Amino acid sequence: MNQPRIRILATGGTIAGSAGSAIERGYRAGEVGVVELIKAANELGLARVLDGSQVSAIGSQDIGWQQWNVLYQSIASEMDNRRLDGFVITHGTDTAEETAFLLDLALAPTKPVVLVGAMRPADAVGSDGMRNLANAVRVASDPGAAGRGVLVVMSDQVFAAIDVRKAATSGAEAFRGFPRGPIANVTPTSLDWFGPAERAGRGAQFEWPAALPRVPILYAYAGMDDADVACMLAGARGVVLAGMGQGNAPATVLEALARAGVPVVRSTRVDQGSVDRNLEVDDDAFGFVAARGLGPAKARILLQMLLANGVTDPAAMQSAFDRR
Ligand code: GLU
């Protein structure tokens, strides 16, 4: 039987990081190149044909439009290549959820696209990099992973891009899903999906834009006032409020946002929970959009994608957030 063929797109992060010592605390992200990653993966005997390309070698706190554009173009242009069965993106964990969600919005779910990171550098004791990479290759090789959108594999679990969040700053089990938890469990030799592929046969949700508009995130805090809003909004085409609780902010802040003249999406600074329309804040009166289950970082990505695709009507925006 032919072995599955998987393309690895390497961007950097701890999965390609080295500390120079098994017990050293610091590390340098992105030091292990894609050739070395593939060599190490091949030594595991995964029975896959791996090839790769080096998109960048950076910590994911520095990821942005340039890398996202290369990732999108590299995958979209090869999605129908019959000689490839799936894609694995190696990535830092800090912004894994943003890259995964942005690509999820724009790629057709035709073949598996799996983003994977690590919490411990390659040369650290208890490194999780090869475990996670082997698991990611396993998922990317499974035809049953298609039709689920972009997936994130960490610590023997598979998350959908829409749900996944980095929920801890350290420790190998740092990722959680919300509102759904993991959608599968994985090891290099087993993969158990918990439900059907809901997006099988569907196309991409959005056109890939030529650029993404400026959309800041405004983090709400006690004592905040309208002057803080004015500082943040220079040049903004939209704004996401990382509000308190159910997407709240002081009345003066809500009023300043309503006057800002750009779309406003209310999300929450709280780890879990949905922000619902008109519950505590009168979204109808203010003209706001409720982020529902998306946290601020992903609410920002969706708002950017909507704006870049010419969607500015609050009702149309709300229905895009309601579909999440
Ligand atoms: N801050 C770096 C990044 O996101 C390292 C964190 C990690 O990969 O776990 O790339």
Side-chain angles (χ1 to χ4, degrees), residues 13-14 27 59-61 92-94 118-119:
T14 297
Y27 69 95
S60 69
Q61 59 271 36
T93 58
D94 288 356
M119 293 298 290

Side-chain angles (χ1 to χ4, degrees), residues 11-16 27 29-30 58-63 91-96 117-120 154 166 169 175:
T11 68
T14 297
I15 193 164
Y27 69 95
I58 57 178
S60 69
Q61 59 271 36
D62 288 319
I63 289 261
H91 199 286
T93 58
D94 288 356
T95 60
M119 293 298 290
R120 297 195 178 116
M154 290 292 289
K166 185 174 184 178
T169 56
F175 279 65

Side-chain angles (χ1 to χ4, degrees), residues 6-12 15 34 37-38 51-56 67 70-76 78 84 86-91 103 107 113-116 133:
I6 307 299
R7 173 140 314 155
I8 310 229
L9 299 158
T11 68
I15 193 164
V34 68
L37 274 179
I38 289 175
D51 72 13
S53 105
Q54 191 80 46
V55 174
S56 60
Q67 295 78 22
V70 174
L71 286 171
Y72 171 80
Q73 305 296 351
S74 309
I75 298 171
E78 299 280 12
L84 277 179
F87 303 86
V88 170
I89 302 167
T90 57
H91 199 286
L103 295 174
L107 287 169
V113 178
V114 181
L115 192 142
V116 64
L133 184 59

Side-chain angles (χ1 to χ4, degrees), residues 195-277:
E198 288 152 8
R199 280 160 56 191
R202 296 211 206 138
Q205 301 173 71
F206 289 95
E207 291 279 324
W208 187 251
L212 288 173
R214 179 173 294 275
V215 171
I217 297 174
L218 204 61
Y219 191 97
Y221 46 89
M224 183 183 202
D225 66 19
D226 52 345
D228 296 313
V229 179
C231 297
M232 286 287 294
L233 284 192
R237 297 257 321 275
V239 59
V240 171
L241 174 69
M244 308 135 170
Q246 259 282 345
N248 287 314
T252 162
V253 170
L254 296 178
E255 283 151 17
L257 286 172
R259 288 193 305 271
V262 293
V264 176
V265 175
R266 287 189 312 110
S267 65
T268 179
R269 68 183 199 180
V270 176
D271 281 350
Q272 295 201 350
S274 175
V275 170
D276 297 318
R277 196 170 174 81

Side-chain angles (χ1 to χ4, degrees), residues 151-178:
L151 301 167
V152 173
V153 167
M154 290 292 289
S155 64
D156 298 349
Q157 296 182 311
V158 185
F159 300 93
I162 187 171
D163 302 314
V164 73
R165 291 183 187 178
K166 185 174 184 178
T169 56
S170 60
E173 324 291 318
F175 279 65
R176 300 270 180 282
F178 178 84

